[in-house]
Amino acid sequence: MRSLKTSDGGAGQLDLFVGAGSDIAARDAQDLMAWPFFSLAKTKRVKPIDFRMGEVAILVEATAEHGMATIWDADVLIWVASQIVEARDAGKATSRLIAATPHEILTFTRRGTGKAGYERLKAALDRLQSTSIATSIRQAGARRRRRFSWINEWRERLDDKGRALGIEMIVPDWLYEGVLDRALVLTIDPAYFALTGGLERWLYRIVRKHGGKQKGGWSFDISHLHAKSGALSPLKRFAFEVRTIVRRQSLPGYSLALEHQYGRERLLFVATPVDPFTAARRRIGLPLVEKGV
């Protein structure tokens, strides 16, 4: 890690934090796992997410030019959280101003590292920067809201021939403060990045957040999950897609089941037992079996 001084939009000086590369454990912020902050669709979404449940209020707004940040774009924020936690646990200084190469981010998130992957990463950064969030989460009182974008600003660093040297981005205080709080971050299975469906990815995050490692697991009414997802699809379609995911058993580390009681459909999930050695290798993205063994 190196440290430089740069301006944060006139709001002061930030040290430049350079992460530890791509070979680290994947961590996710629990607030982002539990609530509807991202579009689950691969097509452009402009319609806002306007969600209220108890004292939690979330408003996510998109621009017509870029559309709303998607759950695939959120992989960049998982990379950010993982870098900050890795440095914090090693006793190193961190900052909201983070530098990386596109190759590091793409490798960490199990994406292709060619030109197409780089162009998709830039589009993701644009959506993260242009999406506006207002939320009462972690604010004193339900009527108070914090407003921010997932990335305050970002820029490419180029050499004299126009080739990319790296990326610098500034993440908001709200995200940075949540990641620094040890109680608000969870390790996730690297196999998460291989999940291709938006609902599938969202469901893994909420199952990981609530199911954890509890022997008895956890459960939700399908209608409650539908409300928490922020998805545009009607409940009937949402329930059909959840049943498909249960049938495929595609969420890494968890077993899923459905039950029907009193006319309501409910999703049950429980962590599957994993050998500690296998879990450790999976956590840092290593193959489960050594070559030649």
Side-chain angles (χ1 to χ4, degrees):
M1 186 178 71
R2 57 190 172 87
S3 180
L4 299 173
K5 291 290 185 180
T6 189
S7 172
D8 180 15
Q13 297 289 317
L14 290 172
D15 289 331
L16 181 64
F17 165 56
V18 179
S22 57
D23 191 19
I24 61 173
R27 283 96 164 190
D28 206 351
Q30 291 196 48
D31 290 332
L32 274 61
M33 300 168 80
W35 303 105
F37 281 112
F38 303 99
S39 170
L40 306 186
K42 292 183 178 178
T43 55
K44 182 189 289 187
R45 174 171 176 168
V46 177
K47 183 177 181 179
I49 296 173
D50 192 356
F51 174 85
R52 295 170 185 270
M53 185 174 287
E55 294 188 352
V56 172
I58 298 170
L59 176 65
V60 184
E61 296 175 297
T63 65
E65 179 182 3
H66 297 294
M68 185 178 295
T70 71
I71 197 154
W72 295 273
D73 301 337
D75 287 359
V76 175
L77 304 182
I78 294 175
W79 175 85
V80 168
S82 303
Q83 294 294 337
I84 292 173
V85 171
E86 186 76 11
R88 181 203 65 193
D89 290 351
K92 298 178 180 179
T94 63
S95 170
R96 294 192 298 117
L97 175 62
I98 304 172
T101 66
H103 186 275
E104 289 172 342
I105 298 175
L106 293 170
T107 300
F108 176 83
T109 57
R110 306 328 191 239
R111 308 283 183 91
T113 55
K115 182 179 179 181
Y118 182 45
E119 292 302 318
R120 284 192 289 267
L121 174 60
K122 290 198 295 183
L125 293 168
D126 283 339
R127 284 188 293 270
L128 290 165
Q129 194 277 326
S130 63
T131 298
S132 172
I133 302 95
T135 181
S136 63
I137 295 173
R138 285 192 275 120
Q139 303 305 300
R143 294 186 179 181
R144 296 185 59 187
R145 292 196 187 188
R146 189 86 163 262
R147 185 175 288 275
F148 54 89
S149 295
W150 292 121
I151 295 177
N152 290 5
E153 58 182 273
W154 75 276
R155 68 168 186 168
E156 294 178 271
R157 291 184 293 118
L158 306 175
D159 64 15
D160 55 3
K161 295 183 179 180
R163 292 174 299 197
L165 295 175
I167 291 171
E168 294 177 3
M169 68 184 86
I170 301 175
V171 298
D173 278 322
W174 186 88
L175 177 64
Y176 184 67
E177 292 165 0
V179 171
L180 285 179
D181 188 333
R182 294 176 187 274
L184 296 179
V185 177
L186 290 174
T187 301
I188 64 172
D189 195 313
Y192 165 80
F193 296 116
L195 298 177
T196 57
L199 178 57
E200 194 176 33
R201 281 173 157 247
W202 176 82
L203 198 58
Y204 170 81
R205 296 173 89 188
I206 203 163
V207 163
R208 175 69 183 95
K209 163 70 174 68
H210 292 283
K213 306 299 181 183
Q214 302 176 76
K215 288 185 178 181
W218 203 265
S219 65
F220 279 114
D221 279 349
I222 296 296
S223 59
H224 181 74
L225 282 174
H226 179 250
K228 290 195 74 172
S229 73
L232 291 175
S233 58
L235 175 58
K236 185 175 181 180
R237 177 65 188 178
F238 179 90
F240 172 81
E241 292 178 356
V242 170
R243 293 184 203 113
T244 300
I245 294 170
V246 172
R247 189 163 56 249
R248 296 202 328 252
Q249 293 293 324
S250 56
L251 301 193
Y254 290 89
S255 295
L256 309 179
L258 290 167
E259 69 173 12
H260 296 80
Q261 289 186 347
Y262 310 108
R264 303 176 69 90
E265 191 171 24
R266 195 167 182 87
L267 176 69
L268 297 85
F269 43 92
V270 63
T272 54
V274 179
D275 175 76
F277 177 74
T278 300
R281 296 185 65 82
R282 182 177 291 159
R283 215 167 24 244
I284 59 176
L286 293 176
L288 300 186
V289 179
E290 293 283 2
K291 293 180 179 180
V293 175

